[in-house]
Amino acid sequence: MNAVATPGVGLTILCVALVAATAAVYWVAQLGPVSVAPWAATRAVVQLAVVALVLAAALAHLWSSMLILLVMFAAAVFTAARRARAGWSAAWLTLSLGAGLATTIPPMLVSGVVPMVGVAVVPIGGIILGGTMTGTSLAARRALDALTERRGEVEAALSLGLTDRDARLEIIRATATDALLPGVDQTRTVGLVTLPGAFVGVLVASGSAAQAAAVQVLVLLGLLLAQSCAVATTIELVARGLVRRTPAYPS
């Protein structure tokens, strides 16, 4: 089966045309600086070229594949911490991301459903890590925003005899549902509204719709568990005051 896209002159011309068209839309509709699309495209090309070279070597061995996942985990922690706008206290979100991965990746490997080879572990681990990072950062940011905006309600709960943790939980528990909603909606609408990357990737590579569907179901259900554990851990960290908004990060 031929690949959907292969490096060459045709692909280059098409990509340049797509970026130019995007820049034109930015200019005509005044959506922002015209350089946004070309700069983003340039970064994407450079980053993916580097990643492709690294992965080509790393995926040949399990130990190097695990090292790649470790680097991705560190980048995810940094990104989630920055998005949470909680200063140094956001380092605690490492526990959230760790909880998400620890509850999903080991069972997949131990069961043998995901073979313990780099070419399988890195893509699936990366997808789950990315979704977990999004849920974690969203949960932390919304919980901290809620505590800032509804400070009076927290104080009222404290006056009724609730502990600091319980008073905060009363306010931020609803934000957990909001943080989990994107992942739940993706699972509900898969195949009807969207065809996620894992499905398309396996379909293009193998040509088997059944295998593509199986991989996508595994990834989506793994994401549900990983995000649930990560968000639950994040809410607990915020409720206990370990992750908190600092003066340098106003709401």
Side-chain angles (χ1 to χ4, degrees):
M1 184 177 187
N2 294 330
V4 172
T6 55
V9 176
L11 177 63
T12 301
I13 293 175
L14 177 59
C15 289
V16 171
L18 293 174
V19 173
T22 304
V25 173
Y26 264 73
W27 179 66
V28 173
Q30 297 183 350
L31 300 179
V34 176
S35 60
V36 169
W39 173 239
T42 301
R43 284 193 57 175
V45 170
V46 173
Q47 290 169 187
L48 287 175
V50 172
V51 168
L53 290 174
V54 172
L55 288 181
L59 295 183
H61 306 283
L62 184 60
W63 68 267
S64 54
S65 299
M66 292 302 180
L67 184 60
I68 290 293
L69 273 181
L70 183 61
V71 172
M72 293 169 66
F73 181 82
V77 170
F78 175 80
T79 302
R82 178 172 53 83
R83 290 178 179 175
R85 301 191 305 175
W88 287 104
S89 68
W92 284 98
L93 296 179
T94 302
L95 296 179
S96 301
L97 289 166
L101 290 185
T103 54
T104 52
I105 301 300
M108 290 181 180
L109 296 177
V110 172
S111 66
V113 173
V114 175
M116 201 170 294
V117 293
V119 72
V121 173
V122 172
I124 291 181
I127 293 173
I128 292 178
L129 179 59
T132 304
M133 176 193 71
T134 300
T136 297
S137 57
L138 189 58
R141 185 164 180 168
R142 290 195 175 180
L144 292 171
D145 287 345
L147 289 179
T148 300
E149 296 166 1
R150 301 170 63 183
R151 186 180 296 109
E153 295 178 51
V154 175
E155 294 175 354
L158 290 172
S159 68
L160 294 175
L162 272 69
T163 64
D164 286 348
R165 171 186 175 276
D166 291 340
R168 295 189 186 105
L169 273 179
E170 286 295 320
I171 302 303
I172 67 177
R173 187 174 282 114
T175 64
T177 302
D178 293 338
L180 291 170
L181 188 59
V184 174
D185 277 349
Q186 182 184 26
T187 303
R188 288 172 176 169
T189 60
V190 66
L192 297 177
V193 180
T194 61
L195 288 178
F199 180 91
V200 175
V202 175
L203 182 62
V204 171
S206 68
S208 170
Q211 186 177 7
V215 171
Q216 187 61 64
V217 167
L218 174 66
V219 169
L220 286 175
L221 298 186
L223 271 173
L224 283 180
L225 176 59
Q227 289 179 329
S228 298
C229 292
V231 169
T233 303
T234 301
I235 294 301
E236 186 65 28
L237 291 171
V238 174
R240 291 180 180 273
L242 296 174
V243 177
R244 56 191 180 277
R245 185 62 48 81
T246 64
Y249 292 85
S251 61

